[in-house]
């Protein structure tokens, strides 16, 4: 490996984070999906680091927010929160999209909570439903492990038979119960985007077993599993997928629903973090 291998760049970034947080190394991290970014601001005793202050750390351009990595406490536990993630549809390759996941892994994170906004394919869902991801279908056409494999991250052909940890899904159920929330489980399908799907595509996705559709999470989940990190995924069903309702989709609706259920979502995340 050259001195500037991907692994070395990730390690530089992880070392830079470590130098800013001292001994408070988090073992749990959360990636905040659309509309959830402010959760990072609720962390106690927080150290907030702009992505621009970390070497090689990719910036996300969505809605002009500067991305931040915040390390701080939730219910007495030190966690890392990522406000702002990169997406494949921005034109980043899958390794760039998973750079932050890799850096968190080298930092010492053992558990990764991935959150996202998603369209509801399962007609039993309503806008605002929070869904525990049981498994995924990767239809992005990308994989963060393509190209030469660096064994320091993991093996060439990693098992993906339990990407979303059974144990953590049960933890999510308990956390939901404690908050009187009905938490359905389902299959998340990831597409490249950024265009929303057509009604025909949604019928196809329903046929192959998908309950929710989105444009994130899957690359991070694959990279995390490659490194042996335990993963939990939660989708906020911000809208019914194309063709389910007789109305067009728009990003404002997505953001509006995410904002509406934000309080509930944060209560659930806190209850999960407490129980991990
Ligand atoms: N499709 C894809 N991604 C999404 C959607 C959708 O309907 N809603 C939020 N993210």
């Amino acid at each position: 490996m050259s001195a500037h291998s991907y692994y070395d760049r990730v390690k530089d970034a992880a070392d830079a984070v470590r130098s800013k947080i001292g001994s408070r190394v988090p073992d749990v991290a959360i990636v905040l999906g659309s509309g959830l970014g402010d959760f990072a601001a609720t962390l106690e005793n927080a150290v907030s680091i702009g992505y621009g202050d970390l070497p090689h750390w990719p910036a996300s351009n969505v809605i002009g927010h500067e991305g931040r990595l915040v390390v701080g406490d939730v219910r007495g536990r030190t966690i890392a929160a990522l406000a702002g993630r990169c997406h494949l549809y921005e034109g980043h390759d899958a390794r760039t999209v998973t750079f932050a996941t890799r850096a968190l892994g080298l930092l010492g994170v053992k558990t990764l909570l991935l959150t996202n906004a998603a369209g509801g394919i399962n007609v039993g869902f309503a806008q605002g439903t929070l869904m525990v991801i049981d498994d995924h279908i990767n239809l992005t056409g990308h994989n963060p492990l393509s190209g030469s494999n660096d064994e320091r991250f993991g093996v060439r052909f990693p098992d993906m038979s339990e990407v979303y940890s059974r144990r953590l899904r049960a933890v999510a159920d308990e956390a939901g119960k404690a908050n009187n929330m009905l938490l359905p489980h389902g299959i998340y399908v990831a597409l490249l985007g950024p265009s929303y799907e057509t009604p025909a595509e949604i019928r196809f996705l329903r046929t192959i077993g998908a309950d929710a559709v989105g444009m994130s999470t899957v690359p991070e989940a694959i990279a995390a599993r490659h490194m042996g990190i335990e993963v939990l995924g939660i989708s906020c069903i911000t809208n019914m997928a194309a063709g389910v309702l007789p109305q067009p989709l728009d990003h404002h609706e997505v953001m509006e629903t995410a904002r509406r259920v934000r309080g509930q979502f944060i209560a659930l995340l806190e209850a999960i973090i407490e129980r991990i």
Side-chain angles (χ1 to χ4, degrees):
M1 285 291 150
S2 79
H4 298 292
S5 68
Y6 179 69
Y7 183 92
D8 290 331
R9 291 196 299 278
V10 171
K11 188 164 179 309
D12 275 357
D15 289 345
V17 174
R18 205 175 284 115
S19 75
K20 291 175 197 289
I21 62 176
S23 60
R24 293 173 65 219
V25 177
D27 60 350
V28 174
I30 180 164
V31 178
L32 301 168
S34 302
L36 264 187
D38 308 353
F39 176 64
T42 69
L43 270 51
E44 289 160 14
N45 311 312
V47 177
S48 176
I49 310 166
Y51 292 166
D53 293 328
L54 291 169
H56 319 297
W57 204 286
S60 163
N61 305 312
V62 182
I63 358 185
H65 280 271
E66 195 213 359
R68 308 194 73 75
L69 167 65
V70 181
V71 174
D73 302 336
V74 175
R75 306 241 170 124
R77 176 173 208 134
T78 301
I79 69 159
L82 289 178
R85 62 146 60 99
C86 293
H87 301 83
L88 290 166
Y89 63 71
E90 294 173 79
H92 299 295
D93 66 24
R95 286 187 186 227
T96 304
V97 167
T98 51
F99 186 93
T101 301
R102 297 297 197 184
L104 290 169
L106 291 194
L107 189 62
V109 162
K110 304 281 179 256
T111 307
L112 183 63
L113 307 186
L114 297 169
T115 67
N116 60 52
I121 296 174
N122 185 325
V123 294
F125 293 167
Q127 273 179 260
T129 296
L130 299 177
M131 183 194 89
V132 176
I133 302 178
D134 274 344
D135 203 349
H136 73 226
I137 300 173
N138 180 12
L139 293 186
T140 62
H142 295 261
N143 191 303
L145 313 187
S146 76
S148 64
N149 186 58
D150 194 317
E151 296 277 337
R152 289 172 289 186
F153 285 129
V155 298
R156 171 78 287 192
F157 299 110
D159 174 58
M160 291 286 144
S161 50
E162 192 183 317
V163 175
Y164 304 89
S165 150
R166 191 172 289 279
R167 180 184 83 84
L168 293 177
R169 284 181 271 145
V171 165
D173 288 336
E174 280 167 32
K177 238 178 247 153
N179 282 280
N180 287 316
M181 283 179 200
L182 270 184
L183 275 189
H185 289 220
I187 306 300
Y188 176 89
V189 59
L191 271 62
L192 176 59
S195 50
Y196 289 121
E197 301 71 36
T198 64
E201 286 166 344
I202 294 302
R203 289 191 297 275
F204 162 72
L205 296 173
R206 184 178 297 121
T207 303
I208 65 170
D211 297 291
V213 57
M215 306 171 191
S216 68
T217 300
V218 163
E220 292 119 304
I222 292 171
R225 290 309 298 142
H226 186 227
M227 299 177 85
I229 297 169
E230 206 178 358
V231 175
L232 178 66
I234 312 233
S235 292
C236 175
I237 307 299
T238 51
N239 57 283
M240 293 315 289
V244 174
L245 302 175
Q247 64 196 41
L249 270 54
D250 82 292
H251 183 62
H252 291 111
E253 181 190 8
V254 168
M255 295 308 291
E256 176 51 37
T257 307
R259 198 166 26 245
R260 182 164 61 77
V261 299
R262 190 180 158 274
Q264 255 193 313
F265 208 162
I266 288 175
L268 177 67
L269 294 172
E270 289 179 344
I272 289 170
I273 289 162
E274 197 180 347
R275 287 170 173 77
I276 282 173

